[in-house]
Amino acid sequence: MSIRAHGQHPGGNGGAPAALVFESVSKHYGSTVGARSLDLDIPAGELVTLIGPSGCGKSTTLRLAAGLERPDQGAIRVAGDVVADRRRFVEPEKRRVGLVFQDYALFPHMTVAQNVEFGLDRLARGDRRARTGEVLDLVRLGHLAGRYPHELSGGEQQRVALARALAPRPAVVLLDEPFSSLDESLRAQVRRDTVATLKEAGTTGVLVTHDQTEALSVGTRVVVMRRGVIEQADTPEKVFEQPATRFVASFMGDADFLPAHVHRALLTCEIGVVSTVPGWANSEADVDVVLRPHEVALQPDPNSPARVSAVEYHGAFVLHYVTLASGRTVRSWQPHTVRHPIGTPVAVTVAAGTTPTLLLGDRAITSPPPGSSLAPRPSVPLQLS
Ligand code: ADP
Ligand code: MG
């Protein structure tokens, strides 16, 4: 992805070209930004999740890859072949790209088998049959090959759409919020089935979702978009634990922000010492610290100015809102057995071992900013005479 130079591929997939590459791809609709200077490099076999608020450009990104939109600028490659740039534009059906939409877009007057066979018109009839049988087995629908879409459940229709997308052996399958029309109980199962099928087929996938848990749990990589721009493309752990921007920190999970100060590697804010910051021994800077509710500890303390201001029961845990002396709020997850009544004075601390993200403005910083240097401490104590 953007953390790797374009066209380079790490070992492990036999030097196969990346399944999908975007190089500085932009797309506008009149004055509306659809996608701006997108850089993406998705190695073969990865399942990438693409997440961001409504209108941030997720569908535009998929449509550009599929050939349903033309980029204004930049180049797109599928399995090593340029499919769009200033000179070339390969039609959707000639790209090795499969598509699964939210509404599945199955042909209602065709059987399951006919729906799957539809994209295989370049094969001989016998091969078409065989391949259709193969992918229907892959999604465990072989026994329903003769049914019509309206005779299937939502989850089964979704599997037909996936089988149809996989049938022509695409280099990459693009899935645009494929589970959002399924109800909650079905969703988790269909999601697991889909991920298992993509893995079994060894197919690279890009899955658009607006569900943060889905993005983190399904993706080998998570791409977070905002206003047509990629804010961060990283492993799920990095996106959650080391967000690159204030937006990513607050969009991917709950986060509170407190003004904080680093002085010679000691990070403090209004709740006291937060942690030490390795590499900042000779620095001093004002920052914001990102705190997530699972990192914030509470202890009833009659001498503390902080007060519990709201309590939300979430089943497995109880979210406590605490108003600090400054009027700012932090949130803390407590086990489901703990409930501090509203108004309880509580001491707020940060759980040991937490290495919180620091922000300078809206961007995360990992090293001291320019102008924050202090004179090094003398290594030998001064002799006073
Ligand atoms: P997402 O899928 O993340 O919700 P989209 O990629 O559909 O977002 O849209 C990105 C932006 O482009 C939005 O502001 C949207 O209104 C606009 N947009 C998308 N398609 C068109 C179109 N065909 N014509 C004009 N504007 C469009
Ligand atoms: Mg969309």
Side-chain angles (χ1 to χ4, degrees), residues 176-332:
D176 198 349
E177 310 209 22
F179 317 122
S180 45
S181 59
L182 301 173
D183 61 51
E184 195 61 41
S185 56
L186 197 57
R187 201 183 154 96
Q189 183 60 45
V190 174
R191 176 167 61 206
R192 275 196 297 276
D193 288 348
T194 303
V195 172
T197 301
L198 289 172
K199 276 212 180 105
E200 202 178 327
T203 305
T204 312
V206 182
L207 180 123
V208 167
T209 176
H210 57 256
D211 178 324
Q212 289 117 24
T213 313
E214 189 164 286
L216 293 173
S217 61
V218 166
T220 48
R221 301 250 168 192
V222 179
V223 176
V224 185
M225 284 186 78
R226 181 197 193 198
R227 296 183 190 151
V229 173
I230 293 176
E231 292 252 326
Q232 188 168 6
D234 253 323
T235 61
E237 291 81 1
K238 280 220 165 143
V239 163
F240 186 72
E241 294 164 28
Q242 294 163 48
T245 64
R246 187 182 293 262
F247 169 76
V248 173
S250 58
F251 190 73
M252 299 302 286
D254 292 331
D256 293 306
F257 305 93
L258 292 180
H261 188 72
V262 188
H263 178 80
R264 293 200 189 279
L266 199 63
L267 173 64
T268 53
C269 68
E270 74 166 299
I271 63 172
V273 174
V274 176
S275 66
T276 53
V277 193
W280 290 55
N282 298 315
S283 303
E284 168 145 44
D286 288 320
V287 295
D288 282 337
V289 61
V290 181
L291 294 177
R292 297 210 185 268
H294 71 275
E295 298 166 336
V296 176
L298 299 182
Q299 199 60 51
D301 178 352
N303 298 318
S304 173
R307 295 273 185 284
V308 174
S309 50
V311 179
E312 281 173 6
Y313 182 64
H314 284 246
F317 59 88
V318 183
L319 189 62
H320 286 67
Y321 289 72
V322 177
T323 304
L324 304 175
S326 63
R328 291 191 172 83
T329 299
V330 290
R331 287 165 292 176
S332 168

Side-chain angles (χ1 to χ4, degrees), residues 14-32:
L20 180 63
V21 175
F22 275 45
E23 279 176 17
S24 310
V25 173
S26 294
K27 168 73 191 172
H28 292 76
Y29 303 99
S31 59
T32 305

